[in-house]
Amino acid sequence: MKLAILGAGESGVGAALLAKAKGLDVFVSDMGQIKEVYKAKLATAAIPYEEGTHTFERILESTEIIKSPGIPEKAAIIQEAIKKGIPVISEIEFAGRYTDAKFICITGTNGKTTTTLLTYHLLKNAGINVGLAGNIGESLAEKVIDNKHEYYVVELSSFQLDNMYQFKAHIGVLLNITPDHLDRYGYDLNKYAASKLRIAQNMSGADYFIYNNDDDTIRNAFDSAAFGGTTIPFSLQAATGAKVLCEGTHVKVKVKFFEGDIDASRSALIGKHNQYNTMAAVTVAKLLGIEDSRIEKGLENFENAEHRLQVITVSREVTYINDSKATNVEAVYYALEGIKQPIIWIAGGVDKGNDYSVLTGLAKEKVKVLVCLGKDNDKLKEAFGRIVPVVVETTSMEYAVRMARLLSTPGDVVLLSPACASFDLFNNYEHRGQRFREAVEKIVLKK
């Protein structure tokens, strides 16, 4: 079998290493420049590769192609492969062939990384032999080489799901569906929803699909009557038929043989969206037989990933929160909704066709200052200029933090929650969040 791998990032190199370990004839091609750490892995494994180009003749000789998630189907090399009838799959699909471990797969427009990390933490904290992989930044294929785990918690993007066909989750979680990446789906929300719902494909009677029953798009797109596994809808709104509810600070799981009443009051996660995330993670834990007390302890000592409503510091009774991962309007809505104190909001960047109208009510109620951080802030100013008392703009993170400190009073929250991509001023959202932390340390903490 001849295998071509397009893209030499985490997923592509992981797939190449697994292919080599299984004795397959593998070649890696990347149109960009390959990072040195990945070149070293390929070289050590004696895997041939090219960068800065795709050699069509060599790639199209392959029996199968593994495509990195960032490569769209409209790419010329993919279109040529389709014409020749060469199967194009994802790294996750490929990895699933080489393990008997059970997969706990998590997707959604927002919250999937937090939910993935929390689920992994709850399981590992309870002593379950579990690995972490997927869109979280760790290659499932590379982990499958050693195949040490009984379970894998896997974060999946819609791009990964698009090229998964035979792969099956034992437990699938769908948190929400809101407009995002629609340029990859013909600006059709229904097509995007269909992509997300691929997480439930191939499930049978022994499998579980946990989904947000309060999400209209999910309810309209998911055909529960045709589903082969067990459905577990969760709800904050006490929806009819919901099997997992949040009552006050308690998560109540009412699934046959897996009932629980978990006190989540000591969790550090804030906001309504994190109640949904917590319900999903707690439900997975209950399905694996973890006791309520162990789950409660796990919720208490969980630390979320960087750049996701991450408290940087509290100085002079002002809290500084890094939510740089909030690159769309819905993520910002969750942040504004979850914070009860007055907010100095730092936002802006590369607009992705945002409709800010859903934020105007919260902004009017909670935001006292808007700091626009971007090269083009006109849309933000137009949306919030008449609502927020003070609006300033800058292209400097240090200036943004300096203004936030100057305009804050005790009890305020300074929130970096951009609602936009980062590429006008920063390399990525991690770079933006790191610059925010550095500016807070320099200007506020005087480090």
Side-chain angles (χ1 to χ4, degrees):
M1 181 179 183
K2 297 184 71 173
L3 190 66
I5 297 176
L6 304 183
E10 180 69 16
S11 68
V13 171
L17 294 172
L18 175 59
K20 183 72 174 184
K22 299 302 177 181
L24 303 180
D25 182 351
V26 58
F27 172 66
V28 177
S29 177
D30 196 312
M31 278 294 289
Q33 298 302 303
I34 303 174
K35 291 182 179 179
E36 291 301 322
V37 63
Y38 294 130
K39 284 184 183 180
K41 284 188 173 186
L42 294 171
T44 299
I47 297 172
Y49 67 86
E50 64 180 357
E51 59 181 335
T53 187
H54 286 322
T55 303
F56 277 44
E57 294 80 5
R58 186 168 185 180
I59 294 167
L60 297 175
E61 290 176 350
S62 304
T63 312
E64 193 169 48
I65 292 173
I66 297 175
K67 177 179 79 66
S68 292
I71 301 173
E73 188 173 297
K74 65 183 179 183
I77 186 63
I78 302 300
Q79 288 299 305
E80 287 300 311
I82 292 171
K83 287 179 185 177
K84 288 181 66 69
I86 303 172
V88 179
I89 65 170
S90 72
E91 172 238 347
I92 304 294
E93 174 82 3
F94 181 63
R97 298 171 180 174
Y98 295 98
T99 178
D100 292 325
K102 292 183 177 179
F103 297 110
I104 299 158
C105 297
I106 298 168
T107 196
T109 307
N110 296 296
K112 55 185 177 289
T113 297
T114 296
T115 306
T116 299
L117 291 172
L118 178 58
T119 301
Y120 172 72
H121 173 76
L122 294 179
L123 303 190
K124 189 174 182 182
N125 193 61
I128 290 176
N129 179 13
V130 61
L132 178 69
N135 197 55
I136 198 81
E138 299 190 38
S139 167
L140 177 63
E142 188 167 356
K143 289 180 182 259
V144 163
I145 296 171
D146 294 330
N147 203 20
K148 295 177 179 178
H149 302 292
E150 183 181 359
Y151 293 91
Y152 288 97
V153 180
V154 185
E155 179 187 330
L156 294 175
S157 70
S158 59
F159 300 161
Q160 289 169 311
L161 287 161
D162 286 337
N163 292 103
M164 290 165 56
Y165 305 100
Q166 302 303 316
F167 181 95
K168 185 189 79 165
H170 171 52
I171 301 174
V173 177
L174 179 53
L175 297 165
N176 46 62
I177 299 175
T178 57
D180 199 19
H181 304 299
L182 292 188
D183 56 320
R184 287 276 289 259
Y185 298 97
Y187 298 94
D188 186 337
L189 182 61
N190 292 326
K191 291 180 180 178
Y192 176 57
S195 174
K196 286 294 189 187
L197 279 162
R198 290 173 70 90
I199 199 164
Q201 68 186 3
N202 303 321
M203 283 185 168
S204 59
D207 304 316
Y208 301 91
F209 180 44
I210 302 166
Y211 68 94
N212 185 345
N213 199 67
D214 296 339
D215 188 294
D216 291 339
T217 304
I218 294 175
R219 283 204 317 275
N220 292 333
F222 176 53
D223 184 358
S224 58
F227 179 66
T230 299
T231 58
I232 306 179
F234 60 91
S235 173
L236 276 179
Q237 301 170 10
T240 302
K243 297 178 183 177
V244 183
L245 300 170
C246 194
E247 298 178 3
T249 61
H250 284 250
V251 176
K252 297 190 175 183
V253 180
K254 301 176 181 179
V255 181
K256 190 176 182 180
F257 306 123
F258 302 103
E259 296 190 353
D261 185 343
I262 293 88
D263 182 2
S265 61
R266 291 186 294 276
S267 171
L269 297 174
I270 64 172
K272 184 185 292 184
H273 68 302
N274 276 321
Q275 288 180 289
Y276 284 115
N277 298 340
T278 300
M279 282 193 289
V282 163
T283 304
V284 174
K286 291 306 300 180
L287 291 176
L288 269 62
I290 300 174
E291 303 90 343
D292 292 3
S293 59
R294 295 292 296 270
I295 296 172
E296 289 170 356
K297 185 64 176 177
L299 292 174
E300 184 178 354
N301 60 30
F302 172 67
E303 294 183 7
N304 202 1
E306 285 191 307
H307 317 298
R308 294 165 179 86
L309 285 173
Q310 176 193 22
V311 175
I312 300 298
T313 191
V314 179
S315 176
R316 298 182 180 179
E317 299 180 55
V318 176
T319 303
Y320 293 80
I321 296 179
N322 170 18
D323 192 33
S324 183
K325 180 65 167 63
T327 59
N328 58 49
V329 168
E330 287 76 18
V332 175
Y333 180 93
Y334 295 142
L336 297 180
E337 183 273 334
I339 295 170
K340 306 308 177 186
Q341 304 97 309
I343 298 169
I344 297 174
W345 176 28
I346 303 173
V350 179
D351 184 273
K352 299 192 290 185
N354 291 347
D355 176 5
Y356 292 113
S357 61
V358 297
L359 300 178
T360 54
L362 286 169
K364 186 174 183 179
E365 174 189 354
K366 297 186 175 186
V367 178
K368 57 186 283 188
V369 177
L370 170 61
V371 180
C372 301
L373 177 62
K375 290 184 177 180
D376 182 358
N377 301 307
D378 289 347
K379 195 169 177 180
L380 275 172
K381 291 189 294 182
E382 181 181 348
F384 300 105
R386 296 183 182 88
I387 296 170
V388 177
V390 179
V391 177
V392 297
E393 58 180 322
T394 181
T395 56
S396 163
M397 181 64 82
E398 285 198 5
Y399 182 81
V401 171
R402 200 176 300 279
M403 290 301 299
R405 179 177 180 273
L406 178 66
L407 296 169
S408 65
T409 56
D412 288 350
V413 169
V414 175
L415 171 69
L416 170 67
S417 193
C420 298
S422 56
F423 305 118
D424 58 339
L425 298 174
F426 307 97
N427 298 335
N428 46 46
Y429 76 82
E430 294 98 335
H431 181 220
R432 176 169 57 192
Q434 181 59 35
R435 290 295 305 277
F436 177 67
R437 172 187 281 278
E438 292 169 356
V440 169
E441 290 177 348
K442 176 181 177 181
I443 295 162
V444 178
L445 301 180
K446 308 293 185 183
K447 287 187 177 180

